[in-house]
Amino acid sequence: SPPTPVPPSPSPPTRSPPTLSPPTPAPPTQSPATTAPSTASPPTQSPATPVPETPIPGQCVDGTVDGEAWFLQKAEFNCEWFGTPGEDFCGRFGDFTGEAAMKAQDVCCACGGGNAGGAAPVPVTPPPAQCRDLRIEVDGEMVPWHDVDGPSWDCAAYEAQNICKSEGDKWRNVHVAQEACCACGGGDRS
């Protein structure tokens, strides 16, 4: 009898990348130089001696994670980005989980977090029982996990689009979202 034809395997569905992207800064404008000669005296401190930054009492200071600036997804989505004038990034993304399983609303002054006392930056160190999204090695560098379709499809995107159940067991890149992302039931909870 003739062989039974085998139907082709369905191709995986295509996805549009998430819409979270940093604003594109306007190019700097330059005007012709019309400055008068300066009459100010040069600073008396040697350039080799750094001036310690002293927070002003009552001034809010953004939190940090292990001494580094906190961020959501990528380093450019940091507290400074959340405070971009004319944008509502705090309202749109402030409750998304970022580095160290913290949220901008807890860490960034622009979103109502940070340290309002201004005494010192707030080191954000999650308690041992708190979950951390997994990281993977890409080009010799450890980066937050993202799926096989690239950095736009990281844990924050799965959480924001509420696709942990429908897509969280697909798109493996070392791990799938259900293994790598706290919001999807995975992550490192040790």
Side-chain angles (χ1 to χ4, degrees):
S1 80
T4 305
V6 176
S9 300
S11 60
T14 58
R15 302 180 293 169
S16 300
T19 57
L20 180 62
S21 61
T24 305
T29 58
Q30 293 185 349
S31 58
T34 57
T35 58
S38 173
T39 58
S41 59
T44 57
Q45 192 164 13
S46 163
T49 307
V51 178
E53 188 175 310
T54 305
I56 299 168
Q59 179 183 24
C60 187
V61 179
D62 293 326
T64 60
V65 176
D66 298 327
E68 299 293 324
W70 172 91
F71 61 89
L72 173 72
Q73 290 187 24
K74 301 176 185 175
E76 62 260 29
F77 301 137
N78 57 25
C79 289
E80 183 179 338
W81 178 79
F82 273 92
T84 301
E87 299 290 342
D88 183 24
F89 294 134
C90 292
R92 291 169 47 204
F93 309 112
D95 63 344
F96 289 13
T97 303
E99 277 292 289
M102 298 301 292
K103 300 175 181 186
Q105 63 192 16
D106 300 322
V107 185
C108 300
C109 296
C111 299
N115 178 8
V122 180
V124 178
T125 305
Q130 195 166 6
C131 185
R132 284 184 173 229
D133 292 335
L134 298 184
R135 299 174 74 82
I136 57 173
E137 186 175 336
V138 175
D139 297 327
E141 182 181 344
M142 294 304 290
V143 298
W145 176 88
H146 58 79
D147 74 18
V148 71
D149 282 345
S152 296
W153 290 99
D154 61 4
C155 293
Y158 274 76
E159 180 180 18
Q161 295 191 22
N162 196 24
I163 57 172
C164 289
K165 287 184 181 178
S166 64
E167 302 291 318
D169 61 345
K170 303 172 183 151
W171 316 102
R172 181 173 293 278
N173 186 11
V174 180
H175 306 283
V176 293
Q178 291 176 352
E179 298 166 348
C181 305
C182 297
C184 297
D188 179 6
R189 298 180 188 274
S190 59

